[in-house]
Structure formats: C-alpha cells, structure tokens
Amino acid sequence: MKEPIPFEEVEYKKSNFLIGAKYKSSLLENKVLAISLTKVRKDENGQLISTVTASELKKYMKKTNGSFYDQLYSCADNLANRQIVMEDRENNKFMILNIVQTALYDNGKFTIKYNSDLEKYLYGLQQNFTKLSLPVMMSFKSVYSFRLYELLKSKAYYPRDKKRPENLFRITFSLSELKLDLGAVNSSYDRVQRVLKSSTPDYDKAVEAAKEKTFARWGDFKDRVIDVAVNEINSMAEACMNVSYELGKAGRGGKVYEVSFIVKLTSGLMELMEQDVVLTPVVSADMRVVELIDSLLEDEDMRIKDIKAIAIAAENDFERVKEAYDIYRRQKVKAANFTGWMVAAIKNGYKASKKSQRSGFHDFPQNEYDFEQLELQLLSN
C-alpha cells in the first residue's frame, strides 16, 4: 500500500483559468476548496468528486474550537450556490457557471461533486496550471492574502524559452479588475455579469454596477486589502515570495487606476515550469527616450513623471509612442486624461481603423461607445 504524503509536502495543481475566476468568497471556502482539490478523482460513473473527512479538514486548518458543523454547512451552502466568472481575455474566452454541483456531509465525511464542465480545469492537468503548497495556503489568515498569492504565483513563472535570472516579475491589474479578482466586489449580481459577459468587459462598469462593495474608498482598499495581503505574504518565509507594489495614477487629482505588483521569487519558487502566461518584464524609463518623447509631446501639458510612464508603457520603444500619438492627434474628440489614454493605447497596441484611414482620421471605432466609456475601458486593461 502506498504511503500517504506527509502534510508538510502536500501540493496540488490549480488551473490558472480557475485562479483568474472572479467571485466573492470567504477564507474558509477557499481553504476547503484547496483541500478538496488535493483529492479530486473520478467515481465509477465518471463524475468528478472529492471526499475529505471532517477530522482532516479540522487538522489541516488547525480548527480546535467552535461548531465546525455549522461553519461547514455555511461554507457548503455558499460553494454550491455561487456562480463564478472565468475569463481568458487573451484568447477571447469566458465561462460563467457554478463550480460545485452538490456538497454532502454525512457520517463525518464531506463530499463535493464538481460541475462536469470544469473537468479540464480540475482533473489531469498537464498545462496552464499553478502548483500550490497546501500547508502554505492553510497558513493564510486573510482571504485577500490567499487570493492575491495564488494570483501572483500563477503569473510569476517563466516560459521555457524566456528564462530570466533575476526571478523578478511585474504583474499589473487595473484597480477595478483587482477588486473583482480579490472578491472585494461581489460579481454574482446579474447587472455585473452582464458587463463581464462582454467580449471586452469594462471592469470599471462592472464594479459600478455591483451592489455589494467592500472597502470602496481607495484608502480603505489599500490599507485593509492590499497592504494586509502583501504584508502577510512577505512575512511567510515558506511562501518563497517577496512582494511590493506601485500605483498607476492619472488626472489632476492623481486617481489610482492600476496596481503593479513587483514579485521577487526566492529559492523555493525558482524552478522553471512551462506556462501559457505572458510576462511583463520590469522596465525603467530610458532618459534618452524620455527626452525624445518630451520633444514629441511639446504641445501637450506634460509632467516628467507622466512622460516616464509613457516611456515605460512602450518599453522605451519611441516608435510605439510616435504611432500612438499620431492616432491621438487625428482623433475627432480629445481625451480628458491624455497620459492614461496614451499608456492604454500603447499597451493594447491599438491601430488606426481602415475606415478612419480612408476618411483621413485615425480614430478608434466609436459606434458602440461614447468616448468617455472607451477611455474607461482602455484604462481598465
């Protein structure tokens, strides 16, 4: 009989598609799901199931007091009734579904039957997954730390053909997307899901449409979500990750529109795994390029930090800046936030439409959006 793997060494695979799902959840739900994923199997009918004893759940989560039955009941109820949104924007894919078909607790055993549509994201994973340590995930005390860690870890890997010795990654989220990813905004409402079903979802609109928002003020979200998560991850040596972050700001008031996490992997996470993830290297502004951009944009009211932001977005490629500015100058309607427009246009690689080229104007197609909406969409990417 095969010896069981000691708890300290238990790892599990989680699909990056599932990690990127947008849903609001509790820490207990995430931990129960993590434990369940270590035991997923197919029954005699081909149904994906996972069975964990109550004693295992309590042991792994170090629960020694309180009525665990009541907590598990609430957790199971939420898991079975929650819709999640899984999105792969690079490949224009999304899926909205319930992850759990049924949750049964009987005779000291907790059994989950998973939605059959999720089989390729739960069973026999061979690519586009992240390997997670169960003891590490069980150690988190905040649901935001749990979610941020798996999000960052899912993106902080090298493709085999792009090895970089510094083990450093810049991982950027729009503020609204980050709130949805971490569950600070409840995405289960119909109004929110209608926005997310779009082929180019506007996360700002999705957040605006949500009835349930936690820490809606930026200061509260920073102090009680981002800082709590980053500090907890950094305090855990076994997480093998050091995290800091920078803010993308726009407009006269310096409104935060994106958060860039700088992730440094330490010894335990330096193994190379083949991942279908596009990584963005850490880039600093080349002052020679900054001078060229400053000259190019002499008719705009620019601050040096805004010029640097544009240089970084273009990865110091002056031709990309020139191309974006040429499109901007030919616009019929000008952006209220020029820097944000330029950064978003460069990052998204927007080109002039054929129609606009024929008419002499290099403007973005605006038959579906007014310009203010389009600008918000660009800034959320």
Side-chain angles (χ1 to χ4, degrees), residues 14-30:
K14 189 169 183 180
S15 163
N16 292 339
F17 199 32
L18 190 56
I19 287 175
K22 293 167 175 56
Y23 57 92
K24 183 177 177 64
S25 58
S26 69
L27 181 61
L28 178 62
E29 290 164 42
N30 280 283

Side-chain angles (χ1 to χ4, degrees), residues 113-126:
K113 289 186 178 181
Y114 287 99
N115 189 321
S116 59
D117 288 332
L118 282 168
E119 179 173 338
K120 68 178 180 179
Y121 303 113
L122 293 170
Y123 187 74
L125 296 174
Q126 297 297 321

Side-chain angles (χ1 to χ4, degrees), residues 365-380:
Q366 296 183 47
N367 57 323
E368 296 182 25
Y369 308 98
D370 62 30
F371 192 84
E372 183 178 359
Q373 290 174 324
L374 179 59
E375 186 179 55
L376 285 173
Q377 176 191 323
L378 292 177
L379 288 175
S380 72

